[in-house]
């Protein structure tokens, strides 16, 4: 018995999009949920790749061939119910449930991309939205995580749906997405043949890319709000004579006042200064304390520990951010103490503590 003839269904751009999106989602999920701070570059790279792929897919949904077009598979509620009840559920292109999955993934990845840019700007003061506030970044961070979990849920549903529909239609749908072809069978849903408009798609992609680049450049030109000030020379010289200079935005003003009032017993050392220098340093520290900055460290360390009002490593924020690190890391010769921020944070003295400047010492 001869096999039914094969018909082309999924064009090369659709297949490349499908598998590239799977790879970028996998990379972003692995580095986001399992990777540490040093994996953030890979996480952002995977997320930006997924966002670019989705934008290209939207363009191809209006300019691609028959089964790539949104008009070929946008479902109605009646079509979804009819598909579930049908004894002949096969579709050459996306079936109604698969179409809902495509639309949901596109919407969620766009949301993840936007929320990721906002949280990078608000929490870490980097990227085109660096002028956004910390509170905005924190709110969108929560939405980013919820959307990420939703995507993982959709991926699980998608895999289950592919297995279920493959069995129900007696066709290997995953293989069809690799080869691009399916068997021609009697009763296939007819579809209007629409040719791809490649040149138009390329022009639209160039226009969209240029617009996004221009918008990103314009937004990046806006100065971030609440950035830590540059270090005062006198304060740096006096503090760094014994230890690293801690930026004033890492503690609230009240903590700095208590610290300066107790210089006679400064962590077991006599660190008293002449009154004029002490007054100058105290004024600078309190004038640029955590209340004046809009950064993640300033907000995280603003809540001090009872009984240790100026011990940074005792704050709830420090313990929450460093709780997953092994104790042996802080005992390494290059670190020596949890208070040696510069051992892992190249920009520690700036008060910014960017995730892009974290490099954990190797044992």
């Amino acid at each position: 018995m001869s096999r039914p003839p094969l018909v082309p269904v999924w064009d090369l751009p659709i297949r490349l999009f499908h598998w590239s999106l799977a790879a970028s989602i996998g990379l972003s999920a692995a580095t986001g949920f399992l990777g540490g701070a040093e994996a953030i570059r890979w996480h952002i790279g995977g997320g930006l790749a997924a966002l670019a792929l989705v934008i290209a897919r939207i363009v191809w949904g209006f300019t691609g061939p028959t089964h790539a077009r949104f008009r070929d598979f946008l479902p109605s509620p009646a079509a979804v119910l009819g598909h579930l009840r049908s004894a002949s559920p096969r579709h050459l292109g996306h079936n109604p449930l698969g179409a809902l999955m495509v639309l949901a993934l596109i919407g969620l990845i766009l949301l993840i991309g936007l929320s990721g840019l906002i949280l990078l700007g608000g929490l870490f003061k980097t990227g085109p939205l660096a002028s956004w506030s910390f509170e905005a970044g924190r709110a969108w961070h929560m939405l980013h995580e919820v959307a990420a979990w939703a995507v993982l849920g959709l991926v699980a549903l998608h895999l289950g749906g592919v297995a279920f529909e493959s069995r129900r239609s007696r066709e290997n749908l995953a293989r069809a997405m690799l080869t691009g072809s399916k068997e021609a069978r009697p009763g296939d849903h007819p579809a209007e043949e629409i040719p791809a408009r490649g040149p138009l798609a390329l022009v639209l992609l160039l226009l969209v890319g240029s617009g996004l680049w221009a918008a990103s450049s314009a937004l990046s030109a806006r100065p971030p709000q609440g950035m830590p000030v540059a270090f005062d020379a006198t304060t740096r010289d006096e503090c760094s004579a014994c230890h690293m200079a801690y930026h004033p935005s890492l503690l609230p003003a009240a903590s700095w006042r208590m610290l300066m009032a107790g210089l006679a017993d400064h962590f077991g050392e006599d660190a008293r200064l002449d009154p004029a220098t002490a007054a100058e340093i105290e004024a600078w520290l309190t004038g640029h304390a955590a209340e004046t900055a809009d950064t993640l460290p300033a907000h995280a360390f603003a809540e001090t520990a009872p009984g240790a009002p100026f011990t940074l490593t005792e704050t709830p924020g420090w313990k929450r951010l460093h709780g997953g690190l092994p104790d042996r890391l802080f005992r390494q010769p290059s670190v020596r103490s949890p208070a040696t921020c510069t051992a892992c944070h190249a920009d520690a003295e700036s008060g910014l503590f960017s995730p892009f400047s974290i490099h954990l010492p190797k044992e």
Side-chain angles (χ1 to χ4, degrees):
M1 181 177 179
S2 62
R3 294 182 60 184
L6 297 177
V7 293
V9 176
W10 305 122
D11 59 277
L12 182 60
I14 286 293
R15 285 177 279 152
L16 289 175
F17 162 78
H18 181 276
W19 297 111
S20 298
L21 184 65
S24 61
I25 288 176
L27 175 63
S28 296
T31 52
F33 289 112
L34 304 175
E38 291 181 295
I40 191 169
R41 287 180 176 83
W42 290 100
H43 180 70
I44 294 173
L48 289 176
L51 186 60
L53 286 166
V54 163
I55 292 172
R57 178 63 181 94
I58 292 172
V59 170
W60 199 237
F62 293 101
T63 58
T66 302
H67 297 297
R69 299 251 178 159
F70 293 125
R71 60 183 284 188
D72 179 68
F73 62 83
L74 286 179
S76 64
V80 174
L81 291 174
H83 175 74
L84 291 172
R85 296 169 179 168
S86 175
S88 177
R90 185 173 185 261
H91 289 250
L92 277 176
H94 291 296
N95 64 50
L97 288 179
L100 290 178
M101 180 65 66
V102 170
L103 298 176
L105 280 172
I106 287 176
L108 279 174
I109 291 171
L110 290 175
L111 176 60
I112 288 174
L114 175 61
S115 59
L117 290 172
I118 294 175
L119 76 86
L120 276 175
L123 300 187
F124 304 118
K125 306 302 177 186
T126 189
L129 302 181
S131 60
W132 284 53
S133 70
F134 172 85
E135 289 301 327
R138 181 162 60 180
W140 282 83
H141 187 195
M142 296 176 61
L143 186 59
H144 187 77
E145 291 190 348
V146 170
W149 280 110
V151 164
L152 291 185
L154 285 182
V155 168
L157 284 175
H158 176 61
L159 294 175
V162 167
F164 173 75
E165 292 289 355
S166 293
R167 182 173 181 179
R168 193 161 77 123
S169 63
R170 302 183 305 281
E171 185 168 43
N172 190 325
L173 297 181
R175 183 173 61 193
M177 187 54 74
L178 284 169
T179 64
S181 300
K182 291 185 177 182
E183 293 179 353
R185 297 179 183 176
D188 283 341
H189 292 268
E192 177 188 355
E193 290 296 325
I194 306 172
R197 303 182 67 184
L200 176 60
L202 182 59
V203 169
L204 290 175
L205 282 173
L206 289 173
L207 288 174
V208 171
S210 299
L212 291 174
W213 181 270
S216 176
S217 299
L219 291 170
S220 298
R222 301 174 63 181
Q225 301 298 313
M227 287 289 283
V229 298
F231 227 104
D232 171 67
T234 301
T235 306
R236 175 189 278 112
D237 290 344
E238 293 293 345
C239 295
S240 60
C242 300
H243 53 72
M244 67 162 283
Y246 296 95
H247 197 276
S249 64
L250 301 182
L251 287 173
S255 293
W256 288 119
R257 291 191 186 95
M258 285 186 277
L259 183 145
M260 293 301 295
L263 290 180
D265 184 13
H266 185 67
F267 298 97
E269 301 286 340
D270 186 348
R272 282 177 291 188
L273 302 168
D274 65 86
T277 302
E280 178 186 347
I281 291 176
E282 181 176 339
W284 188 78
L285 291 173
T286 56
H288 300 94
E291 295 91 337
T292 68
D294 193 42
T295 61
L296 175 60
H299 286 271
F301 304 144
E303 179 187 357
T304 58
F310 45 78
T311 304
L312 191 64
T313 55
E314 292 297 321
T315 61
W318 190 96
K319 291 184 175 181
R320 183 175 64 254
L321 292 171
H322 298 81
L325 297 175
D327 290 339
R328 64 179 182 275
L329 172 67
F330 301 110
R331 294 195 297 266
Q332 292 185 50
S334 61
V335 181
R336 300 187 308 277
S337 164
T340 312
C341 305
T342 50
C344 302
H345 300 272
D347 63 343
E349 287 194 1
S350 73
L352 191 56
F353 289 80
S354 168
F356 303 103
S357 298
I358 298 176
H359 302 284
L360 300 183
K362 304 300 180 183
E363 295 186 49

